[in-house]
């Protein structure tokens, strides 16, 4: 059974710092991995999707990497801003209709 | 292009009352999903519909029913609400032609007293 873990559960950093959020999964037979952002009281916004054949995806200041063999993905945020404060969720899809979500990392960027 | 929309945004029920949560997507996606999100836990799948006319149970289906009304609409019904169903409910749809990318609605915040 696939399990997805995100560590740390919460993170506080000063503005301008580069940071890494971690996501680990137990079954390496994945189809894709998706990173989401969730603002308080809002829905999930897709940030990046990495296919199983890819090693990384980039969008602006965000870079997501995937290492299936070790069961890990990281989300790198460069030059963090207060507007980046949110909860970040990773989600693993094994190729079917079901997706397993991590519990999320709550990020606070201090001005 | 509104994406995935949900109604209502907030709802308070008394134990034993029933209600239906509505979801619609305008992206022509075949598959649609209902999740619940509880504090400290990841999203958990309640039911999903792989295509129009089909529905299947997810991880936590007890106490819920669903209807895939057409390709656009997927509703979730609580027949007899219980306090354990207090949660935030999210509807999502998936683009199978775009590597299974999933898109979410804004959520419905339900409190059962």
């Amino acid at each position: 059974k696939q399990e997805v873990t995100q560590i740390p559960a919460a993170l506080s950093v000063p503005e301008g710092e580069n940071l890494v959020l971690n996501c680990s999964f137990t079954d390496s037979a994945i189809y894709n991995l998706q990173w989401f952002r969730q603002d308080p009281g809002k829905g999930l916004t897709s940030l990046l999707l990495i296919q199983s054949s890819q090693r990384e995806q980039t969008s602006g200041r965000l870079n997501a990497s995937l290492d299936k063999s070790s069961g890990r993905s990281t989300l790198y945020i460069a030059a963090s801003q207060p507007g980046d404060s949110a909860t970040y969720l990773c989600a693993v899809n094994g190729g079917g209709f079901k997706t397993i979500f991590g519990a999320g990392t709550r990020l606070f960027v201090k001005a | 292009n509104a994406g995935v929309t949900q109604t209502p945004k907030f709802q308070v029920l008394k134990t034993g009352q029933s209600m239906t949560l509505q979801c619609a997507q305008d992206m022509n996606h075949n598959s649609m999903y209902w999740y619940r999100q509880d504090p400290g836990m990841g999203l958990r799948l309640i039911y999903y519909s792989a295509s129009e006319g089909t529905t299947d149970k997810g991880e936590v289906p007890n106490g819920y029913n669903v209807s895939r009304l057409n390709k656009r609409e997927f509703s979730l019904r609580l027949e007899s609400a219980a306090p354990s169903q207090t949660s935030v409910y999210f509807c999502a749809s998936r683009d199978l032609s775009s590597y299974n990318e999933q898109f979410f609605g804004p959520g419905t915040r339900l409190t059962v007293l």
Side-chain angles (χ1 to χ4, degrees):
Chain A
K1 178 184 176 184
Q2 179 73 273
E3 294 181 2
V4 180
T5 304
Q6 292 186 249
I7 295 174
L11 180 64
S12 180
V13 300
E15 182 178 6
E17 188 164 301
N18 301 325
L19 61 101
V20 174
L21 305 181
N22 297 296
C23 172
S24 61
F25 47 94
T26 55
D27 186 349
S28 62
I30 70 170
Y31 183 75
N32 67 35
L33 185 146
Q34 197 168 355
W35 281 94
F36 293 90
R37 169 185 173 138
Q38 185 176 27
D39 293 289
K42 303 294 185 181
L44 279 69
T45 300
S46 179
L47 297 174
L48 290 165
L49 181 145
I50 310 177
Q51 302 167 56
S52 62
S53 59
Q54 297 177 319
R55 296 285 291 181
E56 64 178 346
Q57 281 284 347
T58 298
S59 176
R61 295 183 292 109
L62 305 179
N63 176 277
S65 68
L66 175 64
D67 184 344
K68 285 197 307 178
S69 61
S70 67
R72 293 182 60 188
S73 176
T74 61
L75 180 66
Y76 175 83
I77 302 177
S80 59
Q81 303 170 358
D84 294 329
S85 298
T87 297
Y88 291 81
L89 299 164
C90 73
V92 174
N93 177 252
F97 293 98
K98 297 180 181 179
T99 298
I100 306 300
F101 287 81
T105 294
R106 184 177 299 176
L107 173 66
F108 180 65
V109 181
K110 297 172 289 187
Chain B
N1 189 338
V4 181
T5 57
Q6 293 182 236
T7 56
K9 291 186 177 180
F10 301 93
Q11 184 70 49
V12 178
L13 294 177
K14 295 181 179 178
T15 297
Q17 288 185 317
S18 62
M19 78 162 296
T20 299
L21 282 64
Q22 306 287 352
C23 173
Q25 53 92 9
D26 61 1
M27 296 175 283
N28 202 36
H29 292 167
N30 284 315
S31 62
M32 297 184 72
Y33 307 79
W34 277 105
Y35 293 92
R36 61 178 289 172
Q37 184 178 40
D38 301 293
M41 305 183 72
L43 277 79
R44 292 181 293 169
L45 182 64
I46 305 171
Y47 270 94
Y48 69 98
S49 171
S51 61
E52 185 178 354
T54 69
T55 61
D56 284 287
K57 295 179 180 179
E59 183 183 355
V60 289
N62 292 342
Y64 305 95
N65 286 301
V66 291
S67 295
R68 184 73 182 269
L69 305 171
N70 47 54
K71 191 172 185 178
R72 292 186 63 251
E73 299 173 289
F74 188 37
S75 62
L76 178 72
R77 182 163 179 82
L78 286 70
E79 292 291 352
S80 179
S84 61
Q85 294 178 304
T86 293
S87 187
V88 181
Y89 292 85
F90 288 102
C91 178
S93 67
R94 189 188 296 275
D95 183 359
L96 300 179
S97 65
S98 179
Y99 311 110
N100 270 1
E101 187 171 9
Q102 201 162 176
F103 298 87
F104 281 79
T108 294
R109 283 146 188 80
L110 174 67
T111 300
V112 183
L113 303 174

